[in-house]
Every structure is written in C-alpha cells, then in structure tokens.
Amino acid sequence: MPNVLGRVRRPTHRLTLNTDGKPHTLENTLAVSTLVVGFLALVTGFVVGLHPVASWVGTIGFCGGLYAQYVSVTTPQRSLIIIGIVGSFVGAALGIAHGGFLPTH
C-alpha cells in the first residue's frame, strides 16, 4: 500500500522566520532588533541608576516594534516582535518609575 500514497515526506523542523519560503531580510532584521532592544530595556529597567537608558531604549523599542509589527509578514516574526514590544514597554515603565528620561543628581 505504500505505493498508493507515494513517497511520504517528513517535515523538517527548522528555526526560521521565513515560513512562507521567501526571504524577508528587512522584516527579519526588524523583528530580531525589536527583541534585542526589548530585552535591553527590560534588563536596564531593573537597575535604578540606568533609568535614562531604560526609558529611552524602551520608548525607541516600543515605537520601532509597532512599525515592525506593521510591516511584518510571517507569524514567527510577529511573535518575536510582540515579545520585544512587551519587554520595551515594561523596561520603559520601570525606567520612568525610577526617575524618568533625564539623569538625576
């Protein structure tokens, strides 16, 4: 009976952002950048002395993440972008709560 079904191909699971088979270099770069900036904002948001960095990086990451979400093409890109947006938002909120955008003496 295997000859009726033909050759059965098993899917190879690879970690990729291009699930549609087309290259999306700009969109992939924006997705990964949003994730990295969100992580940076989140980490610096927990350090009280780095509140200006957390505030600015979080705000830039949040706004950039919204644009990246707008131009994203695939679901894995959107997943990374949402994680980065949330990290940026939380980092910016912590930075603002610890002192805001400008350094304090």
Side-chain angles (χ1 to χ4, degrees):
M1 198 86 165
N3 59 352
V4 174
L5 296 175
R7 180 176 240 182
V8 178
R9 294 182 61 194
R10 297 183 188 237
T12 57
H13 296 289
R14 297 181 315 171
L15 182 62
T16 180
L17 296 177
N18 300 327
T19 55
D20 60 350
K22 300 175 186 173
H24 305 288
T25 54
L26 174 66
E27 292 84 359
N28 291 344
T29 303
L30 287 172
V32 172
S33 299
T34 301
L35 183 67
V36 169
V37 169
F39 179 74
L40 179 66
L42 185 64
V43 168
T44 57
F46 285 110
V47 180
V48 177
L50 295 176
H51 63 87
V53 175
S55 300
W56 284 108
V57 170
T59 302
I60 292 168
F62 185 78
C63 294
L66 291 178
Y67 176 73
Q69 186 74 358
Y70 178 69
V71 299
S72 65
V73 180
T74 63
T75 301
Q77 290 171 351
R78 293 181 184 125
S79 299
L80 288 183
I81 292 168
I82 290 299
I83 294 168
I85 287 174
V86 170
S88 294
F89 180 80
V90 172
L94 288 171
I96 292 170
H98 291 155
F101 290 95
L102 299 175
T104 57
H105 296 38

